[in-house]
Amino acid sequence: MQYLFTYEERLKNFDWSLSENELEYKKGNIINIGWYCSDRICLKGKADKIALFYEGFGGIEKKYTFNDIRLAGNSIGTFLRNLGIKNDDRVCLFMDRIPELYLSFLGVLKIGAIVQPLFSAFGDESLFVRLENAQTRAIITQRKHLPKVRKILDRLPYLEFIVIVDHNKIKPLEKKEVAFNMEESIPVENMEIFPAHAESPSVLHYTSGTTGQPKGVKHVHYSLISQYLTAKWVLDLRDDDIYWCTADPGWVTGTSYGIIGPWSLGITQCVLDTGFSAQAWYRFIEKYRITMWYSAPTAIRSLMKAGDEIIKEHDLSSLRHLASVGEPLNSEAVIWSEKIFGKPFLDTFWQTETGSIMITNFPGMKVKPGSMGKPFPGITGVVLDPKTYQPITEPGKIGLIAFKPDWPSIMRSYWNNKEKYEEKFVNGWYLSGDKASIDNEGYFWFVGRDDDVINTGGHLVSPFEVESALLEHPAVGESAVVAKPDELNMEVVKAFITLKPGFTPGPDLELEIMNFIRKKLSPLAMPQDIEYMEKLPKTRSGKIMRRLLHAKEWGEDIGDISTLEND
Ligand code: 6R9
């Protein structure tokens, strides 16, 4: 395969001004991501190029040119502005992967408001804590998700508008609800784009931590500088590519590389909103002649499981380049893809907080299956000694993955949580919260997380959030949530609970509790296994020893238990 340059060439004299120059951005200028992803591409002569091919349930197909997405962004932006939404207001997107989700993203940014994308699979409680924390002023949603919004509305004094994109005019609108139909709206040819500057806030993504409620990661418009160049170099996007990022924009991958990266490069992308099935995915690649595919290990493992026979039924020869993110990509998956597609999935490592790819198998670089690759040019990545926080120089020794906090798309804060934000920086390093080793050729090898956050199929789940929800169930006395090994998702959620007096353990109660969590949080956070206990292991100071439960699940040594309470 022909690549246009090598990693070493790109490392030489690297400077982010390379990206700034390509984007014709100069320090102090206006930089609005919404404009860059649509208006600028039209000005570059690509107004009639397809920006989005969409396929939804029931075979619905739609397509939009860059001029269409420019106009749609204008219409939505103008509609919100007319409601009184202004710059820095938080606007939540709570939709399935329908075109309105992608186009509203641009519209919100165009007026300088902060876009807060959330998974539409979230239950009312998950939605509530994120809207409450961000003091969100408007939410854009679909009819099917309204019951969840209506349920929590009275507890959200800052939420003024519920914008419904598919109002059917049969049922009357209720409190705070307004209808906006994109297809029926009058195209807005010209609008005043908000003059965002480098540090103007852009996207607010919520991510789970070990303790406390999820944290809102605040990004700024200048993040474009990182997202543009990493999309161009790592995803190797070229003008005639047909690109498919399988991530939902509720996850940072779905915005940084499912909207901003590709569209700022003027690339055609495809969206499939029908959920996962190997058959459907291969058919989609074949139908749209997808050339670049960015996905995640769990999906890749599911495809492997579906078998190679089904692949033979499809012409997948259009695929030119593959990459993966979200969790460790096992070497088997790399080897499998090489065998099946003739090219390996290239592993990329990054986080909501980093905003863009940090460690990567750069196109053309020798792939060591199981390794995450090397830092992107301009990124100083190290592993630190967990005691001294000094970089480890010895190859193969495990330490904490850390980065020099000087790249354009690093988060600017955790929303209203200065304390947690400051904890992420030590000795002038940004701490990722992950562990790895670096080999003698500079390749990073992922080891695991440095906290209790559960990574199930690429989705981060906070044990705290699940425990809190469990405690709201009338039968649950105490709860402890840990990761349990799983073949497909690598980790799944396991809950240990004690019951309140008068409740009897059993499969019916287990099912009831699981459903309770699913409705409140999301299907992803639902425990796959609930174990009843007489009492939970605790330290003498009364803290639940999750470490012990974790070790039990993973068959590991339980370590020091001197603080374990025993009566
Ligand atoms: C983009 C994204 C970040 C956490 C990260 C790490 C895990 C991501 C990985 C990986 C092993 C990879 N992670 N990529 N682990 N290999 N290539 O995933 O953001 O949802 O914030 O998750 O995911 O633990 O710290 P986010």
Side-chain angles (χ1 to χ4, degrees):
M1 188 183 338
Q2 276 301 307
Y3 291 112
L4 306 173
F5 39 75
T6 66
Y7 177 65
E8 285 70 26
E9 278 163 7
R10 287 311 192 192
L11 269 183
K12 247 185 265 160
N13 304 324
F14 179 85
D15 193 281
W16 289 108
S17 61
L18 251 162
S19 179
E20 295 179 351
N21 293 343
E22 288 195 14
L23 290 164
E24 297 156 296
Y25 166 80
K26 285 199 183 52
K27 292 257 179 295
N29 278 5
I30 291 170
I31 176 168
N32 186 311
I33 291 177
W35 180 85
Y36 265 100
C37 288
S38 53
D39 299 61
R40 180 171 180 269
I41 304 302
C42 294
L43 292 172
K44 294 278 165 199
K46 294 190 198 168
D48 296 329
K49 182 177 175 179
I50 298 291
L52 175 66
F53 283 115
Y54 160 84
E55 215 182 282
F57 281 105
I60 299 176
E61 285 175 38
K62 290 180 184 172
K63 61 179 180 202
Y64 300 84
T65 64
F66 276 98
N67 195 47
D68 293 336
I69 70 168
R70 180 182 74 82
L71 293 175
N74 284 355
S75 308
I76 298 167
T78 304
F79 178 82
L80 293 171
R81 194 176 258 164
N82 288 341
L83 289 179
I85 304 291
K86 47 184 192 354
N87 59 298
D88 293 358
D89 285 345
R90 273 74 66 203
V91 178
C92 171
L93 308 182
F94 192 56
M95 285 172 266
D96 298 350
R97 280 184 255 180
I98 54 173
E100 283 85 343
L101 170 61
Y102 295 81
L103 307 180
S104 303
F105 187 89
L106 302 184
V108 173
L109 292 177
K110 280 186 164 191
I111 61 165
I114 303 175
V115 60
Q116 182 192 13
L118 294 177
F119 289 111
S120 61
F122 274 152
D124 52 280
E125 200 53 34
S126 291
L127 180 64
F128 170 74
V129 295
R130 288 158 177 83
L131 296 180
E132 186 194 40
N133 183 263
Q135 301 188 331
T136 308
R137 214 173 150 208
I139 181 169
I140 309 181
T141 191
Q142 295 161 270
R143 237 169 28 219
K144 65 195 273 202
H145 301 302
L146 267 181
K148 295 190 271 194
V149 183
R150 284 177 180 162
K151 193 167 166 198
I152 56 176
L153 187 57
D154 290 341
R155 292 151 70 204
L156 293 166
Y158 291 93
L159 188 66
E160 285 175 60
F161 305 104
I162 303 164
V163 181
I164 306 165
V165 294
D166 57 354
H167 180 58
N168 62 4
K169 301 181 187 108
I170 297 169
K171 286 198 183 139
L173 293 164
E174 294 190 12
K175 201 164 118 191
K176 299 188 175 176
E177 292 172 0
V178 287
F180 174 80
N181 188 314
M182 198 173 76
E183 318 256 286
E184 290 170 12
S185 69
I186 302 158
V188 176
E189 191 55 48
N190 292 303
M191 78 175 280
E192 197 190 311
I193 310 278
F194 179 75
H197 282 275
E199 295 303 306
S200 306
S202 54
V203 185
L204 186 64
H205 264 297
Y206 276 75
T207 184
S208 299
T210 319
T211 55
Q213 295 294 359
K215 295 162 291 186
V217 176
K218 187 181 94 175
H219 285 291
V220 295
H221 283 265
Y222 189 63
S223 69
L224 173 67
I225 303 300
S226 290
Q227 289 148 348
Y228 169 88
L229 202 66
T230 47
K232 184 169 178 178
W233 287 3
V234 177
L235 305 182
D236 193 34
L237 290 173
R238 306 178 193 175
D239 205 27
D240 54 356
D241 267 322
I242 305 287
Y243 168 65
W244 184 27
C245 169
T246 60
D248 186 307
W251 180 31
V252 69
T253 305
T255 58
S256 288
Y257 298 107
I259 302 178
I260 305 173
W263 279 353
S264 65
L265 282 154
I267 300 292
T268 301
Q269 66 162 332
C270 303
V271 167
L272 177 65
D273 187 27
T274 58
F276 179 82
S277 102
Q279 179 74 31
W281 276 33
Y282 292 138
R283 186 199 50 78
F284 193 63
I285 294 171
E286 182 174 20
K287 176 166 170 192
Y288 290 94
R289 306 289 303 151
I290 285 161
T291 56
M292 198 304 155
W293 184 18
Y294 196 26
S295 198
T298 297
I300 299 166
R301 284 191 294 270
S302 304
L303 293 174
M304 286 168 73
K305 226 173 148 184
D308 300 348
E309 273 311 301
I310 162 175
I311 296 175
K312 296 194 188 118
E313 295 161 18
H314 300 274
D315 174 8
L316 307 178
S317 59
S318 57
L319 290 172
R320 178 178 67 77
H321 187 51
L322 322 171
S324 161
V325 63
E327 17 157 14
L329 181 66
N330 344 38
S331 48
E332 296 79 41
V334 178
I335 294 162
W336 173 79
S337 70
E338 188 128 43
K339 188 179 97 199
I340 294 297
F341 305 115
K343 45 206 67 93
F345 270 99
L346 299 188
D347 194 11
T348 67
F349 168 93
W350 57 290
Q351 307 179 296
T352 306
E353 287 88 340
T354 69
S356 64
I357 294 169
M358 303 301 283
I359 300 174
T360 181
N361 285 276
F362 207 85
M365 188 194 260
K366 175 177 74 175
V367 174
K368 295 190 183 184
S371 159
M372 308 193 293
K374 299 185 186 187
F376 185 80
I379 302 294
T380 313
V382 293
V383 293
L384 299 178
D385 182 296
K387 289 206 178 74
T388 62
Y389 292 107
Q390 294 299 326
I392 294 174
T393 47
E394 204 182 312
K397 199 164 169 212
I398 296 167
L400 310 172
I401 305 177
F403 301 102
K404 199 166 157 217
D406 61 357
W407 70 97
S409 68
I410 186 173
M411 69 163 162
R412 296 306 196 266
S413 67
Y414 284 133
W415 195 258
N416 271 336
N417 199 339
K418 203 159 173 257
E419 200 185 321
K420 281 261 175 333
Y421 175 73
E422 282 169 358
E423 280 172 15
K424 296 294 285 184
F425 300 88
V426 178
N427 275 359
W429 295 102
Y430 161 76
L431 299 178
S432 70
D434 290 297
K435 293 181 289 189
S437 66
I438 307 176
D439 70 14
N440 53 6
E441 288 185 296
Y443 282 74
F444 281 63
W445 296 80
F446 187 79
V447 172
R449 287 192 60 97
D450 189 39
D451 56 23
D452 294 331
V453 172
I454 301 166
N455 188 337
T456 176
H459 293 275
L460 303 189
V461 174
S462 145
F464 171 83
E465 229 185 329
V466 182
E467 286 165 9
S468 308
L470 280 166
L471 292 180
E472 285 179 40
H473 189 279
V476 178
E478 281 187 304
S479 67
V481 165
V482 297
K484 172 183 160 171
D486 180 78
E487 204 187 317
L488 188 62
N489 292 293
M490 296 297 273
E491 297 185 341
V492 289
V493 177
K494 166 148 188 185
F496 292 88
I497 58 170
T498 62
L499 293 181
K500 285 187 183 148
F503 289 94
T504 328
D508 289 350
L509 183 59
E510 188 175 332
L511 194 66
E512 191 194 308
I513 295 173
M514 283 182 182
N515 281 329
F516 181 77
I517 300 291
R518 187 171 56 82
K519 279 210 201 91
K520 274 198 166 315
L521 302 179
S522 87
L524 298 167
M526 191 169 83
Q528 299 295 309
D529 188 4
I530 294 181
E531 189 172 324
Y532 299 104
M533 295 188 101
E534 278 298 316
K535 60 179 205 160
L536 296 177
K538 287 192 188 151
T539 63
R540 286 169 205 279
S541 54
K543 291 200 183 89
I544 295 172
M545 288 185 90
R546 279 187 205 84
R547 178 167 60 80
L548 215 138
L549 298 168
H550 187 273
K552 179 172 164 264
E553 288 309 309
W554 294 77
E556 289 163 356
D557 179 20
I558 55 173
D560 175 27
I561 50 162
S562 55
T563 57
L564 183 68
E565 159 205 75
N566 41 21
D567 25 277

